[in-house]
Amino acid sequence: MKKSASTMLLVILIFSACFPAFAQQAKRARSPIAPATVAEYHDIQAFSDGQGVYIRWDMKTELNNIGFLVSRMGDNGFETIAPMIMGSYSKVRGKILEGGSYEYYDPSGTLNSVYLIENRFTSGNQVSTSSFNPKYTADFLADTGHTKAELEELANN
């Protein structure tokens, strides 16, 4: 009797040690894993001659970044002023993109305008830059690589 009770106890101990491991694995398998998201800025520049603002931003790395929304401070706080500018996700879907460059011209901006850029990720997260102001330029071509006429034409299209 002692031998069969000992054997039974040993079997119970072995099986009970296995069950928590199965339960933990099953729990892990069911929990959703959020996709990684990265938007690391290298540089943000904004230029204005007093009428219109050119904004350019260069990224170090992006991952699962759907795109960017450019906002300007208005009477009711920051207001989105541009359609979404597509980010890394539209180019490399789920892979890291290094060195992406983006730009936007706001024909209604002035030297006193305050901007921020917001990232939208595939996870649903949103992250914004700190606010920034444009620097004065007397020569858009020298500072941006575009003439004022080119920028205004792009804004009208």
Side-chain angles (χ1 to χ4, degrees), residues 24-153:
Q24 289 174 359
Q25 288 175 351
K27 186 176 181 183
R28 261 188 257 137
R30 278 186 250 137
S31 63
I33 298 172
T37 56
V38 175
E40 188 177 1
Y41 287 80
H42 173 68
D43 190 29
I44 300 173
Q45 295 183 335
F47 298 98
S48 177
D49 62 358
Q51 296 179 335
V53 175
Y54 171 83
I55 304 168
R56 175 181 53 230
W57 59 100
D58 299 317
M59 304 298 292
K60 284 184 184 177
T61 55
E62 295 174 69
L63 176 60
N64 292 324
N65 181 20
I66 295 172
F68 305 90
L69 292 174
V70 178
S71 298
R72 180 180 63 233
M73 179 65 80
D75 293 337
N76 298 317
F78 280 100
E79 301 167 352
T80 301
I81 58 170
M84 184 174 286
I85 298 166
M86 301 312 289
S88 66
Y89 191 74
S90 66
K91 299 172 187 172
V92 296
R93 291 222 192 263
K95 296 180 182 168
I96 293 176
L97 177 65
E98 295 180 355
S101 293
Y102 304 89
E103 58 186 13
Y104 177 73
Y105 180 72
D106 176 15
S108 301
T110 68
L111 276 170
N112 296 322
S113 295
V114 179
Y115 294 90
L116 63 77
I117 301 169
E118 182 180 294
N119 297 82
R120 298 281 174 105
F121 296 101
T122 56
S123 64
N125 291 346
Q126 303 171 14
V127 177
S128 297
T129 64
S130 298
S131 60
F132 57 91
N133 301 83
K135 297 176 188 173
Y136 176 75
T137 183
D139 186 357
F140 269 101
L141 183 60
D143 288 326
T144 69
H146 303 284
T147 66
K148 176 84 175 211
E150 289 173 341
L151 293 171
E152 289 175 349
E153 186 177 323

